[in-house]
Structure formats: C-alpha cells, structure tokens
Amino acid sequence: MTGAVGARTSSTDGELFERAAHGSRAALARLISRAESGNGSPVAVPPELLERQGRAYVIGLTGPPGAGKSTLTDRLVGEIRKTGLDVAVLAIDPTSPYSGGAILGDRVRMGSHALDPHVYIRSLATRGQLGGLSRVVPQALRILEAVGFTVVVIETVGVGQVEIEVASTADTTVVVVNPGWGDSVQANKAGLMEIADVFVINKADRDGVRETKRDLASMLDLGADRLWRPPIVETVASSGGGIADLYQALQDHRSFVERSEEAEAKRRRRRRREFEESLSRYLVERALALPGAEELLERVESDRVDPARVAQELGDRLLSHR
Ligand SMILES: Nc1nc2c(ncn2[C@@H]2O[C@H](COP(=O)(O)OP(=O)(O)OP(=O)(O)O)[C@@H](O)[C@H]2O)c(=O)[nH]1
Ligand SMILES: [Mg+2]
C-alpha cells in the first residue's frame, strides 16, 4: 500500500483490529462492514496478527431454503461451545439486500446464543454486486481469524452456483436436505453431491427419511472412488436430535482433511484464486480510473468495439502510466 491514504486506512484498520482482538464486538462489526461495503482497499490485517491466518476450521452449511440450516447451526454452536471454543457464524443471504426480516429471522433462530460473549453471529449481504460473495466471504474469514476465532460456521441459503462456490471454501461442507428432497431438486443434485462432505437429512421427524437416505446413498455409490465417503446423518434440529452424530461426523471429516494431501492442495488453490481475483479487481479499478477510461467503457457498452481489444489497450495504458 502506498501513499498517505493507504497509510491512514491501514492504521485505522489496525486500531479496530487491536480493539476487536481484545473482544470488542463493535470493532469487529465495523471491520466486517468495511469488507462488505467494498469501498477502497481490502481490510488490512496487521502484521502481528497474520500468523493466525488459515488457522480457523471452517464449516459450511448449505441447502434449500427452510431446510433448517439456522436451527441446525444454533445447535452446532451449542456443541462447539461445550468444548470451550469461541465460534463465529456468518449467515449469508445472496439475493436480498439487508432486509430487516432476514436478519431478524437469523437472530431469532440463533437466539439461544445471542447473549454468549464467546459467540459472534453476523449476517452478510452483497447488495447484488457481481462477485460480491467471493470477495466478502474470504475477507470476513480473514478478519475473524485475525481476531482469534478458530471455528467459523458459514450458512448459505439456497443451492445455486454462488452458494456452492461459497460452501466449497469451507474445510467441511454440510449439505442439509429434508425428507422427500429427492423429488424436488433434481437439477442441483450433481453439484451438491460434488461439494458435500457430510449430508444431513434434517426434519427426520417427518415421513420419507428412509427413501431420501436410500436415494442419497445410491447417488453416493456413483462417486464411490472418492477417498472420503460423505456420511448421511439424520437430525431433528428443532429438538436437538442427532446433533451429537453430526458433530462426530464433522470431527471425523476434519481429521480426514488434516491427514490428506488433497486438503492442502485445496487450500493452496483457494488462496491462489483469492489472490488472482483480488489482483484483477484491483487492476480493473485502477484502469477504469485512468483519464479517458469512461469514454472507452461507453464505447464497449454500446457495442461498437471489440471489448477484448479495448481491454488490452487500456491495460497497456495502465502499465505505462505512472
Ligand atoms: N419438524 C421440524 N421442523 C424443523 C426442524 N428443524 C427446523 N425446523 C423448522 O423449520 C423452519 C425453518 O428453519 P430454519 O432453521 O430457519 O431453516 P433455514 O434453512 O435456516 O431457512 P432459510 O435460512 O430461510 O433458508 C423453522 O420453522 C424451524 O423451526 C426439524 O428437525 N423438524
Ligand atoms: Mg437460515
């Protein structure tokens, strides 16, 4: 980071980190809001906190709307707290902008930990920005790690491409479905099978558990050459049933991950992707700030020129610009 503006920003970030690392939730919330707003440079983790990067165990929970992800997360937080660890939850809502409803809903459903100072729950929204989640989530994770969290749960609503991408940044991805699921989301099955490390059939108090389990198991047989076969856990999140089994499945997967070389390769790919995406974003921003860039953009948008050629031209101009 160069120049007075960069220096000022990072010192302010530094102050916030200092306070957040000593337990200030207000400072932590401000750091994450900064990452979320996407204005200016990325939130800068102070050098003395960098050694904590990459340390957190990240659990991703994804699945169709209403499957019981938040209720399950609430129970899981309870299990994790029993071990004495602090835990952070990122609840991600990719479609709607901050709607009081969604956030309030999460607060209510994860309410049993609202007063626990060792639990931090945060909703993230992207206000429809392109690439928003893939930018904000890694930064939010970095911030949480820097202030000392070693366990983070990410809940993503839905089963679309973006959610799958986010979920797959986790060390362990839990796909939550309900009895009868097999009939309704045919289209997304393949994608979910690919990312799931653990399957949960939540609402196991309802009919159709056996069929759903059979359905999932036969799909898992298709990928039987994988080193890890995702277990299928039945839960009743609303009453706490099966949560111990889920927690055990997570621990099993975690120790598998820690032993496997594939996991380290995955981490490296993830960090590389984050690096490349940040670099492109930065260069795009800088290039678009060059004099005359607006006019070029206008010509690209009105379809009068080849976008790839103009991009190269502007890129070259950025490189020779001092
Ligand atoms: N019968 C039954 N209901 C459950 C169970 N788990 C959750 N629910 C109910 O299902 C509804 C949705 O639960 P949430 O935890 O909000 O589900 P979610 O997947 O987080 O929902 P979104 O975030 O809106 O996608 C709530 O009314 C829960 O009380 C369960 O195991 N059995
Ligand atoms: Mg939810």
Side-chain angles (χ1 to χ4, degrees), residues 44-282:
V45 175
E48 68 274 16
L49 297 179
L50 277 176
E51 60 168 25
R52 293 176 170 175
Q53 299 293 287
R55 271 212 203 152
Y57 173 54
V58 182
I59 302 165
L61 260 112
T62 194
K69 299 176 295 294
S70 298
T71 316
L72 214 50
T73 300
D74 184 62
R75 296 283 177 184
L76 211 49
V77 166
E79 282 306 299
I80 297 163
R81 287 294 301 125
K82 281 187 203 161
T83 68
L85 294 172
D86 287 14
V87 52
V89 176
L90 295 175
I92 291 162
D93 178 359
T95 45
S96 56
Y98 273 114
S99 74
I103 292 176
L104 200 63
D106 279 330
R107 288 237 177 93
V108 170
R109 269 170 247 143
M110 297 197 229
S112 56
H113 303 287
L115 296 177
D116 183 343
H118 299 282
V119 176
Y120 178 72
I121 298 168
R122 166 77 187 221
S123 288
L124 287 181
T126 56
R127 305 183 191 89
Q129 299 160 22
L130 193 67
L133 281 180
S134 55
R135 182 182 57 77
V136 176
V137 172
Q139 270 205 62
L141 278 176
R142 263 170 216 300
I143 294 167
L144 291 170
E145 285 178 327
V147 308
F149 285 97
T150 54
V151 185
V152 181
V153 182
I154 305 180
E155 176 194 337
T156 59
V157 183
V159 288
Q161 193 51 44
V162 181
E163 295 80 16
I164 284 179
E165 224 179 276
V166 169
S168 65
T169 68
D171 296 300
T172 300
T173 301
V174 180
V175 173
V176 184
V177 299
N178 295 141
W181 168 75
D183 326 318
S184 52
V185 244
Q186 199 67 31
N188 283 313
K189 272 184 182 174
L192 288 178
M193 297 307 281
E194 228 164 81
I195 59 161
D197 298 307
V198 174
F199 269 107
V200 169
I201 305 177
N202 186 45
K203 306 197 185 181
D205 51 327
R206 296 194 175 164
D207 289 343
V209 177
R210 199 183 308 165
E211 292 80 353
T212 302
K213 196 166 180 176
R214 199 171 48 212
D215 196 22
L216 283 174
S218 68
M219 280 190 297
L220 288 173
D221 288 339
L222 299 175
D225 54 336
R226 282 174 63 180
L227 290 174
W228 170 262
R229 184 184 168 98
I232 303 169
V233 182
E234 295 169 28
T235 59
V236 183
S238 45
S239 70
I243 299 301
D245 296 339
L246 172 58
Y247 189 65
Q248 185 58 49
L250 293 176
Q251 284 186 308
D252 290 347
H253 185 256
R254 185 180 189 177
S255 49
F256 165 78
V257 162
E258 279 163 1
R259 279 182 279 118
S260 109
E261 284 170 25
E262 173 54 29
E264 175 57 21
K266 186 175 160 191
R267 250 172 212 264
R268 290 179 70 95
R269 277 198 300 277
R270 203 159 74 197
R271 293 173 66 82
R272 184 191 177 109
R273 194 173 64 212
E274 190 188 342
F275 168 75
E276 288 179 352
E277 280 173 7
S278 306
L279 181 62
S280 340
R281 228 165 6 243
Y282 176 68

